[in-house]
Amino acid sequence: MFFHFLWEVNFGAVKEGDSVRTFGRLVSYQPEESKATLSIQHAARQHQVVVQTTFVEPFDPIIGAQYIVLGEIEKAEGGDGVMVHARVLNCVDGVNLALLQRGVNEQRSYFRERGENKGDATTAAQPRAPL
């Protein structure tokens, strides 16, 4: 399961059924619908995603706090955008978001590099034909 920034979740970087980890500020919660909305600002734009909270209730929301959510991507009701069906929803208020973003980018670099090296190692490990 990879970490995806909230703005990536909304712009098609993930497909329906994919497992994701993302974070954002809790801006609203509708207990009667079991839905919360996470928001984050990136590149002068405000990005939001709806989180289905059915599996994490009872849920004691802190509006304005930072949350990390782990769950699966589903199409939002009405077909507009996507929704995260939360399996885990944790308050992480006080986390240094710049450091978290840097860590996510480092992890991505590592996985990219490892994938490239794995391809090289596979080629190198193939047996050679006898001379």
Side-chain angles (χ1 to χ4, degrees):
M1 178 183 317
F2 287 101
F3 213 111
H4 291 279
F5 298 117
L6 197 62
W7 53 91
E8 295 171 330
V9 172
N10 284 332
F11 287 113
V14 292
K15 302 180 304 272
E16 186 174 8
D18 283 354
S19 294
V20 296
R21 269 186 294 187
T22 193
F23 63 92
R25 186 169 304 281
L26 182 67
V27 293
S28 70
Y29 176 58
Q30 298 87 34
E32 62 282 349
E33 296 178 30
S34 296
K35 289 184 181 172
T37 303
L38 297 181
S39 178
I40 195 164
Q41 187 169 346
H42 172 72
R45 284 194 65 201
Q46 199 69 21
H47 302 274
Q48 293 187 337
V49 70
V50 174
V51 177
Q52 180 71 36
T53 60
T54 309
F55 294 154
V56 295
E57 291 175 346
F59 174 55
D60 188 23
I62 304 170
I63 303 296
Q66 293 289 338
Y67 280 83
I68 287 184
V69 61
L70 283 71
E72 290 82 34
I73 295 294
E74 297 179 351
K75 285 189 189 261
E77 293 171 5
D80 260 356
V82 296
M83 174 172 54
V84 178
H85 201 117
R87 302 288 179 167
V88 176
L89 184 61
N90 286 335
C91 180
V92 291
D93 223 14
V95 167
N96 182 335
L97 292 180
L99 193 57
L100 177 60
Q101 288 180 352
R102 197 168 93 200
V104 169
N105 288 329
E106 286 294 321
Q107 181 187 43
R108 288 176 177 183
S109 276
Y110 169 77
F111 283 132
R112 259 193 313 275
E113 196 174 290
R114 191 174 95 176
E116 290 168 5
N117 290 339
K118 191 181 280 187
D120 295 343
T122 303
T123 308
Q126 292 178 350
R128 294 185 181 162
L131 297 174

